[in-house]
Amino acid sequence: MSHQLVPRTLSIEAGALAARTRVEANGSATLNPLSVNDAVSQVYSLYAGPSLTTHAGQVAVNANYLAGYTKLTQKNAYQPAAGQPRIDLFNHSLVQSAQVSAGTKAGTVLPVGLVASAGWDREDISNLDQRIDDKRVGLQATLPVSRTVQLVGDVGWEHIRVSSRDALRDANGNPVIGSDGRYVTDTSKPRTIAYDSDGLIWDAGVMWRPSPRTSLSAFIGRRYDSTTYFGSFSYAPNTRSSLNVSVYDGISGFGSSLSNALRQVPTDFATGATGCGIGATGGSCVNGALSSVSSSVFRARGVNATYGFAMGRLRLGVGAGYVRRRFIAAPGTVLAQANGTVDQSWYVTGGVSGQLGRDASFSVAVYDAWYDSGTALLGTSNSYGIYASYYRRLADRLTATASVGLDGVSRDLAADQLEATGLVGLRYTL
């Protein structure tokens, strides 16, 4: 949601998510709104902040600040299966982000456009007081080479640090586990640095925009002491269909990863249970961000894609994605065993919804998700399902819902599971 406080100058952006997930013993999670067993957890995430856009002569000035909070609740304390290592499940985190920039377009002052910027991102994770602190400054140059193509280069400095505390130890040196199944933080000991990078960063790429409904950007650069790739493609030939693809690379925790995914969901998306929000001009999915609920900080590289199509009263949507996470943890702490571990997630979702007269509607959705923990003792899992829902408006703000579904999970280290589920309820919209 975005609201203009001062037209074309000051606005406020906000968003929220409440979702039910099924958490597996290997730390994977799958959106599963109908399941009601003990593996079900609730995820809540919200963010809000102001954004300023103004000018000082020929110079455009932009600034924004966002704060977000994410919480994972679980019905029972997490207990790993016999012989499996413990996965410290995410509890909650506070995310803050601030950006400011000033610059000119190409051809106004110079043949190239120049933008100077500074940014700060921080995530404070409750588990073992983990913290990501990222500060950066940079200068971006844009050179138009044709009416539709621009070359872009960015150079700057960045300091990013990941740190945490260790778990409290008992008399035998074993980490203490709290009543919620998570490690108890030892606040008497100093913080330990898990990752510290300070120096030059850069990227270069191309932006192609042949029409207001088509755009492509592709970049390669140096960040996090290694090569980085990122970009996006969007295509909306008309008001009935849209295709969106994004490639990303960044260091984050579960909370900031989910907040970033949530911010990409368009405001005009169609509701549904696939984890994807697809509108007339854009789309995004939160499935990749929700696929692992480990508390450890990670570097994530991945790709998300959505396609939406409207046909009469019907609206169809498809989403797919892949994410590869390399976990970062401080040596000498209880999370050290996770340092350098790589997990991978893939997902495919699809759904169709439509109106059944003036007061009724329906939706049908399917999903399939794979998770590879990267550790032989935790194994892999495959979750899948199909569900159908019927909605009936009883009053202006009151809607009745009835849903049925079939959910399953296949595991290589535990028994497979398949269950049929049903749900009835009422929703009141304020």
Side-chain angles (χ1 to χ4, degrees):
M1 179 191 74
S2 180
H3 178 68
Q4 295 284 332
L5 300 175
V6 179
R8 297 181 296 279
T9 301
L10 181 62
S11 63
I12 185 168
E13 179 185 354
L17 168 74
R20 180 175 291 178
T21 67
R22 183 178 63 231
V23 179
E24 297 294 325
N26 59 6
S28 66
T30 304
L31 279 173
N32 187 20
L34 299 181
S35 182
V36 294
N37 58 32
D38 288 347
V40 169
S41 297
Q42 305 286 346
V43 177
Y44 305 95
S45 185
L46 55 90
Y47 70 88
S51 179
L52 173 69
T53 300
T54 186
H55 286 80
Q58 299 280 5
V59 179
V61 179
N62 296 279
N64 64 75
Y65 171 80
L66 282 174
Y69 178 78
T70 300
K71 170 69 176 179
L72 173 71
T73 66
Q74 46 191 139
K75 185 176 181 180
N76 295 313
Y78 170 74
Q79 297 295 333
Q84 287 186 326
R86 172 170 292 275
I87 299 295
D88 193 47
L89 299 184
F90 176 87
N91 188 359
H92 62 87
S93 76
L94 175 65
V95 177
Q96 298 181 81
S97 177
Q99 320 287 332
V100 61
S101 66
T104 58
K105 292 183 178 180
T108 55
V109 178
L110 298 171
V112 298
L114 292 176
V115 177
S117 63
W120 172 69
D121 295 296
R122 175 164 161 168
E123 181 174 7
D124 289 285
I125 304 169
S126 63
N127 303 71
L128 302 178
D129 280 353
Q130 294 179 86
R131 178 181 297 165
I132 307 170
D133 193 72
D134 184 1
K135 305 179 184 71
R136 61 195 175 276
V137 294
L139 180 66
Q140 183 185 83
T142 304
L143 175 64
V145 295
S146 72
R147 184 183 61 85
T148 61
V149 177
Q150 297 182 90
L151 300 180
V152 182
D154 199 325
V155 63
W157 169 89
E158 180 178 42
H159 182 203
I160 179 169
R161 174 177 290 177
V162 178
S163 61
S164 70
R165 301 185 194 276
D166 195 12
L168 187 68
R169 306 281 178 161
D170 62 20
N172 297 319
N174 298 315
V176 176
I177 307 299
S179 60
D180 61 354
R182 299 178 176 94
Y183 293 117
V184 176
T185 304
D186 186 353
T187 57
S188 67
K189 300 293 179 61
R191 306 184 67 84
T192 304
I193 295 175
Y195 177 80
D196 196 356
S197 177
D198 185 358
L200 183 72
I201 58 172
W202 63 269
D203 60 71
V206 60
M207 297 178 65
W208 176 56
R209 192 174 180 84
S211 74
R213 293 186 172 271
T214 304
S215 65
L216 169 70
S217 64
F219 294 87
I220 183 174
R222 182 79 177 177
R223 195 179 181 190
Y224 310 131
D225 303 315
S226 63
T227 303
T228 183
Y229 309 89
F230 59 95
S232 64
F233 174 71
S234 64
Y235 177 56
N238 49 56
T239 58
R240 295 181 294 109
S241 62
S242 65
L243 171 66
N244 294 270
V245 182
S246 64
V247 178
Y248 58 90
D249 181 4
I251 291 178
S252 66
F254 176 78
S256 54
S257 178
L258 182 56
S259 293
N260 290 336
L262 184 58
R263 289 181 62 193
Q264 301 304 313
V265 177
T267 57
D268 65 338
F269 71 92
T271 59
T274 64
C276 297
I278 302 173
T281 59
S284 182
C285 298
V286 299
N287 306 65
L290 283 168
S291 60
S292 174
V293 293
S294 171
S295 70
S296 298
V297 174
F298 52 82
R299 178 179 179 181
R301 300 187 185 197
V303 56
N304 284 318
T306 61
Y307 176 72
F309 180 74
M311 182 175 57
R313 291 190 172 188
L314 295 179
R315 197 164 188 174
L316 298 87
V318 178
Y322 165 78
V323 58
R324 179 183 187 272
R325 285 170 289 260
R326 178 179 291 274
F327 291 95
I328 302 169
T333 68
V334 71
L335 293 180
Q337 62 181 353
N339 188 52
T341 300
V342 174
D343 74 7
Q344 300 179 86
S345 303
W346 302 259
Y347 71 87
V348 178
T349 71
V352 57
S353 61
Q355 292 294 124
L356 297 172
R358 188 181 65 177
D359 296 325
S361 61
F362 77 96
S363 67
V364 178
V366 296
Y367 73 89
D368 202 349
W370 301 264
Y371 177 78
D372 182 353
S373 68
T375 302
L377 293 176
L378 294 176
T380 63
S381 60
N382 173 213
S383 300
Y384 51 90
I386 180 171
Y387 31 88
S389 301
Y390 174 78
Y391 311 95
R392 184 77 181 183
R393 190 178 67 155
L394 304 179
D396 286 343
R397 298 184 179 183
L398 184 63
T399 303
T401 302
S403 299
V404 294
L406 188 66
D407 286 287
V409 57
S410 298
R411 315 174 180 96
D412 57 1
L413 296 181
D416 295 347
Q417 180 181 345
L418 182 66
E419 60 183 21
T421 54
L423 173 72
V424 293
L426 293 173
R427 183 178 69 180
Y428 183 78
T429 304
L430 297 176

